[in-house]
Every structure is written in structure tokens, then in C-alpha cells.
Amino acid sequence: MSASLLQAIVLALAVVWSAWSALHRLLPVTMRRLQARMLAPLDRAGKPAWLRLLAARLQPKATTGASCGDGCSSCGGCSAAQSRPADAPMPLAFRPRSKPH
């Protein structure tokens, strides 16, 4: 195996891993659905027990609906900044810059 092929494989794995992580962070509900859909064929009758166990362990945690931890922010009730009236002035906080040494 040549060094350039190994480098390309490592780079491709890094790109796939970072894209997967970013999508989990930015689209949590969609990624849970996608992950469940990808693992569903592995958790069927007739598959080896170890494969079914692996699929069950990798399945995303079941949610009972939208909560403040799922990242949807569709209800506007998860943070204090969203509970302010729209016409209320937004306070500014000024912090001095740190001086370089």
C-alpha cells in the first residue's frame, strides 16, 4: 500500500467522521432518524445474535417528543433570551480586551 493511498484513506475517514459529528450537532432529530433507519435491517429475526446486539446498542435513545435538550428550538421556551418580548431592548455587555503579553 503506497503512502499516498494510505493518506487518502485517512483523510477520507477524517472527513466522514467530521461530517457525521457536525450533522449530529446541527441536525439531531434527522440524524437520530437516519441512524435508526440504517440500523433497522441489522436488528431483524434471522440475523446472528451478536449483530442484533450490536444494532440494539447503536440504536439512538428513544425520545418522547421535543425537549429542551434536542436542539430544535422551535418552541422558543428553552432559553431566557427567547422568552423576552420581541420589542424589549437587548442589553449590551462590554468586556475589556485582554492585553497581550
Side-chain angles (χ1 to χ4, degrees), residues 13-49:
L13 289 175
V15 168
V16 168
W17 179 262
S18 64
W20 186 263
S21 299
L23 288 174
H24 262 289
R25 175 109 169 117
L26 299 173
L27 302 171
V29 175
T30 304
M31 288 305 292
R32 275 195 298 269
R33 287 183 195 145
L34 178 66
Q35 188 175 356
R37 202 174 283 164
M38 287 172 46
L39 292 171
L42 301 178
D43 195 18
R44 291 196 178 138
K47 297 287 182 181

Side-chain angles (χ1 to χ4, degrees), residues 5 7 10 12 15 20-21 23 29 33 35 39 46 51 53 56 65 67-68 70-72 84-85 87 89 96:
L5 179 62
Q7 181 180 357
V10 170
V15 168
W20 186 263
S21 299
L23 288 174
V29 175
R33 287 183 195 145
Q35 188 175 356
L39 292 171
L51 192 60
L53 180 66
S67 67
C68 287
D70 69 354
C72 71
R84 271 187 294 112
D87 59 346

